[in-house]
Amino acid sequence: MSASIPYPAPDFRRLFDATLSPLLVLTPDFTIVEVNRAYLTATRTERSIVGRPIFDVFPDNPDDPSADGVANLRRSLRTVVSTGRTDTMALQRYDIPTGEAGAFVERYWSPVNTPVVDGDGRVTHIIHRVEDVTDFVHLRRVGREQERVVAEAQMRAEGMEIDLFVRAREIREVNEQLSRANAELDAAGRTLKEEQQAKDRFIATLSHELRNPLAAATAATELLALDLPEGHPALSVLERQLGTLVRMSNDLLDGTRAVTGRLELVRERTDLCSVVHGACADIRGLFGHEDRTLDVDLPTGPVLVDGDRLRLAQVLTNLLSNALKYTLPGGRTRVRLSTAATAATAATANVTDGQVRLTVEDDGIGFQPGQAEELFGVFMRAAPAGPSTPEGLGLGLAVARTIVELHGGRITAHSQGPGTGASFTVLLPLATTGTPEPRRVPPARRAPRQLAILIVEDNTDLATTYRTLLERQGHHVTAVHTGADALTATASHLFDVVLCDLGLPDLDGYAVARSVRARPHGHKVRLIAVSGFSRGSDRGQSRAAGFDAHLAKPLPLAELLELLEAPDDLLQGDHRNG
C-alpha cells in the first residue's frame, strides 16, 4: 500500500515570470512594480524599469507628430482605475526606444488592462498584458499593397482582348487561393510546433516526476532484499518490474532529448569490450527468466573507441531490451563484437578499416524487411498494438540511433520476415591515435571508518528508506526534509557526507551546497547531489555549486556504497546512473 505524495504548492512568482504573454504590473498611479521576462524581451528593456512610471519608460516618439500611444494607454488605465473593470484596447501603434539616444523602433500592440481588486472593491494593481502584432500589421500592409497592384493591373487589362482578361482573372483567383492555402499552412505549422513543444515539456516533466516514487520503491525493494537474505519470489518480480519502469522513464527523458537535439556525450577513450561485457552482465538475469539464453562473443583484446561509456552501454541495453520483448520463451539472443568483417558480411554491412561492428541477433518474431527503417522512429513498435503487444514506449531504438550517430557511427536493422528473428548492427569508428587513454580507476578503498551522513530529501518515504539502508551498513545517518533544516544540521554537526536533493521546497540544493562550502570546515564535507535531473547542464550547475558528485534517481544502493567508499580524487568523474 503506497501513501499519496502531496504536490508542492506552485511558486506564483516563477509562474508569472515563465508566462509566455508579456505582462506588466502597475500601481493605480501607473508605476511599474513587476514585469516578466516575456515583456522585457518584447520591449527590449531590463528589470531596471521596475519602480519607474510607465510613461517615463515608454514616452511617445517625438519624431512622430501623430503618435498617440501615451494618450490612449493613459485613457485606458484611468478607465480601469475608475470602473474596476477590464479594458481591451484597439490595435495600437506605440513605438519603443531602442536604447540609442533618441532612437525609436516602430511597434504595434494588442493591449488588455485588467484590475486587481481588494476585498473593499478598490483597485490595488493593474495587469497590463500586450501582444506584439507588428509582424501581422506589416503583413497586412503588404497584402494591401499587393491588392493595389492587382487592381492597377486589372485596370490596364480592361483594354485588352476578352480572352486575355479572362486569363488574367483566372491567374488572380489562383494566386488568392495559394495565398489562403499558404496562410492556412503557416497557421497549422505554428499550431503543430506549439503542440510538439508542449508534448516535449510534458514528457520531460513526467519522466522527472516519476523518479521520486521509483527511487523510493527501488530503495524499499533493496531493503526487503536485506531483510530476506534467502530471497522471495515477490522480490524478483519487484526488481524486474521496477527495472522496466526505470528504463521506460529514462527512455521518455532521453527520447525527448533525442528529438530536440539535446542529448549530450562525455567522451573519453573507452574499451568497447568492457562496455559490452558490463551491459550484458547487468541484463543477463532478465534473460534467465522464462529460459531465454544470451550468448556473448567478444575479441580477446581491447577494442578502443572515442565515446561516452554510459551512452554506449545504453545503446546495447536498449538493443538487448528490444530482443527480450520480441523473443519467445526459450529463445536465444547473440551479441558479437568484431573489428573486421568477413567477406560474406563486408558487402552488406559496409564495414571498412577503422570501424568496429557490434551485432545483436535474436530468433524472435522478426519484421517485414521494408519496415527496418521505420523501427528507429519515435514511438514505433515492431508488433502491432494489441493485448499481446510487449511492454515499452517505442523509444529505445530511436534513442540508440541518436547516440550512435552522435558518435559518428550508424545503426541498421535486418530481418528476413515475420518469424525469422532480427539482427541489429552498430558501426562505430575506432579510436584515433590522438585520443587520450582510458582513465585508470584504482580499486575503491573501503571507508576507514563508519560515516556520519546527512540525507536532505523532501520525499519522506525515500528519505526514510535511504536512512534505513545506510544504517544497515553501519553508518550514522540523519535525515531532514528542507534546505533550511539542512543548513541548521550542518551548522551544529560536522558530517562526513551530505546526500542532497536539488529540488527542495524552500532553498534548492545548489544554495545548500554553496552555504555548506562557505563555512570554515565546509571543504571537509563530501557533497553528493541526488536528483531526477541529470543533463550535462544540471551536472555543471551542481559542480559549480560545490557538489563532488551528481547522481540521478533512482539510486541503486550498490552504486551509492561504491561512491561513498571511493577516494576523494575520483568523485569529480561522470556519475550519471539511471
Side-chain angles (χ1 to χ4, degrees):
M1 181 173 69
S2 61
S4 62
I5 302 175
Y7 290 95
D11 185 333
F12 289 100
R13 177 172 293 276
R14 290 188 178 180
L15 289 177
F16 172 80
D17 198 46
T19 302
L20 298 181
S21 293
L23 297 174
L24 191 72
V25 181
L26 303 170
T27 61
D29 64 353
F30 313 144
T31 299
I32 301 170
V33 294
E34 191 52 88
V35 61
N36 69 354
R37 284 178 290 177
Y39 191 96
L40 296 176
T41 300
T43 59
R44 302 182 178 181
T45 53
E46 298 179 350
R47 286 197 60 83
S48 56
I49 68 174
V50 174
R52 298 176 58 191
I54 186 172
F55 299 115
D56 289 351
V57 178
F58 301 110
D60 275 334
N61 185 352
D63 295 331
D64 183 5
S66 64
D68 58 359
V70 168
N72 293 338
L73 179 56
R74 190 188 303 275
R75 182 163 47 252
S76 175
L77 295 176
R78 285 175 175 171
T79 299
V80 172
V81 172
S82 63
T83 65
R85 296 179 180 177
T86 297
D87 187 68
T88 300
M89 300 178 63
L91 187 146
Q92 175 70 49
R93 175 174 175 176
Y94 201 138
D95 297 346
I96 61 174
T98 64
E100 301 176 3
F104 282 73
V105 61
E106 180 181 327
R107 283 290 182 270
Y108 291 85
W109 309 89
S110 176
V112 177
N113 298 309
T114 304
V116 178
V117 182
D118 63 14
D120 297 328
R122 293 175 299 184
V123 175
T124 62
H125 294 87
I126 305 169
I127 300 174
H128 175 58
R129 178 173 64 85
V130 295
E131 295 295 339
D132 188 344
V133 294
T134 305
D135 291 341
F136 168 78
V137 172
H138 288 169
L139 286 173
R140 188 173 63 179
R141 186 180 299 165
V142 171
R144 289 174 177 172
E145 180 63 21
Q146 289 178 343
E147 291 176 0
R148 185 186 63 81
V149 171
V150 171
E152 292 176 355
Q154 184 176 356
M155 292 177 61
R156 291 194 300 268
E158 288 177 353
M160 298 180 180
E161 297 290 336
I162 187 63
D163 58 336
L164 294 179
F165 173 76
V166 172
R167 291 173 186 172
R169 184 177 62 185
E170 291 174 349
I171 291 173
R172 185 187 64 189
E173 291 174 351
V174 169
N175 285 336
E176 291 174 350
Q177 292 174 0
L178 287 175
S179 297
R180 288 194 296 270
N182 286 335
E184 292 172 357
L185 284 174
D186 289 342
R190 288 192 297 269
T191 301
L192 183 61
K193 182 178 180 180
E194 292 170 357
E195 291 176 350
Q196 181 66 36
Q197 290 172 343
K199 182 194 72 174
D200 292 342
R201 288 193 299 269
F202 168 76
I203 290 176
T205 302
L206 174 63
S207 177
H208 173 259
E209 292 301 324
L210 284 174
R211 289 179 181 270
N212 268 341
L214 282 176
T218 300
T221 302
E222 292 180 332
L223 182 59
L224 285 174
L226 294 177
D227 290 338
L228 300 171
E230 297 181 358
H232 191 282
L235 273 178
S236 61
V237 174
L238 285 172
E239 290 168 350
R240 284 197 307 274
Q241 299 305 321
L242 281 172
T244 298
L245 287 173
V246 170
R247 284 195 300 274
M248 290 172 67
S249 176
N250 290 336
D251 281 349
L252 275 173
L253 189 59
D254 286 337
T256 303
R257 293 172 181 169
V259 170
T260 57
R262 295 194 297 267
L263 205 62
E264 301 167 334
L265 300 182
V266 179
R267 291 180 179 270
E268 63 180 352
R269 176 168 285 191
T270 300
D271 179 10
L272 199 55
C273 282
S274 173
V275 172
V276 173
H277 177 77
C280 291
D282 290 340
I283 204 171
R284 188 178 292 277
L286 297 179
F287 275 87
H289 184 60
E290 295 184 331
D291 296 324
R292 292 180 176 87
T293 302
L294 176 62
D295 296 328
V296 182
D297 185 5
L298 300 176
T300 55
V303 177
L304 301 181
V305 297
D306 175 20
D308 185 319
R309 181 182 184 89
L310 293 179
R311 290 297 185 190
L312 291 173
Q314 185 179 5
V315 170
L316 181 55
T317 299
N318 286 2
L319 293 178
L320 291 175
S321 297
N322 189 71
L324 268 175
K325 295 173 189 175
Y326 297 110
T327 303
L328 300 177
R332 179 178 296 272
T333 300
R334 183 183 183 191
V335 178
R336 290 183 296 169
L337 181 67
S338 63
T339 56
T342 64
T345 61
T348 56
N350 293 323
V351 179
T352 61
D353 291 339
Q355 285 186 316
V356 58
R357 182 174 186 261
L358 173 65
T359 303
V360 177
E361 298 174 325
D362 64 63
D363 56 4
I365 67 171
F367 53 85
Q368 294 290 350
Q371 193 183 4
E373 189 63 22
E374 298 176 1
L375 296 179
F376 295 98
V378 177
F379 303 117
M380 292 300 298
R381 309 287 297 275
S388 60
T389 302
E391 63 188 16
L393 301 172
L395 288 168
L397 293 182
V399 172
R401 166 164 280 188
T402 299
I403 295 172
V404 170
E405 291 179 346
L406 286 174
H407 282 85
R410 62 189 183 91
I411 182 171
T412 57
H414 177 72
S415 176
Q416 295 292 343
T420 63
S423 66
F424 292 84
T425 301
V426 175
L427 297 177
L428 293 170
L430 289 167
T432 60
T433 55
T435 308
E437 290 292 333
R439 176 162 49 95
R440 301 292 186 229
V441 180
R445 68 185 183 213
R446 300 295 298 179
R449 57 189 173 86
Q450 302 303 315
L451 300 174
I453 300 174
L454 175 65
I455 296 174
V456 189
E457 171 59 63
D458 61 331
N459 185 309
T460 54
D461 287 342
L462 184 55
T464 301
T465 310
Y466 277 169
R467 177 176 183 172
T468 305
L469 283 171
L470 291 171
E471 286 178 342
R472 294 287 185 88
Q473 305 300 316
H475 299 298
H476 305 288
V477 185
T478 302
V480 297
H481 308 300
T482 66
D485 288 344
L487 295 182
T488 301
T490 52
S492 60
H493 184 74
L494 183 61
F495 291 92
D496 299 306
V497 178
V498 175
L499 293 173
C500 187
D501 188 15
L502 296 180
L504 298 170
D506 49 356
L507 300 174
D508 60 32
Y510 304 119
V512 172
R514 285 190 291 266
S515 297
V516 171
R517 288 293 188 220
R519 290 173 175 167
H521 301 289
H523 65 283
K524 297 181 179 180
V525 182
R526 179 177 290 191
L527 295 178
I528 301 175
V530 182
S531 174
F533 291 115
S534 60
R535 297 172 300 179
S537 57
D538 300 319
R539 294 192 301 276
Q541 280 185 272
S542 64
R543 283 195 297 270
F547 282 104
D548 296 303
H550 185 119
L551 299 176
K553 298 176 181 177
L555 174 61
L557 176 62
E559 295 191 21
L560 176 58
L561 294 179
E562 180 182 354
L563 185 60
L564 293 178
E565 297 166 2
D568 292 337
D569 56 359
L570 292 181
L571 284 184
Q572 288 300 339
D574 183 45
H575 303 283
R576 295 177 297 166
N577 63 300

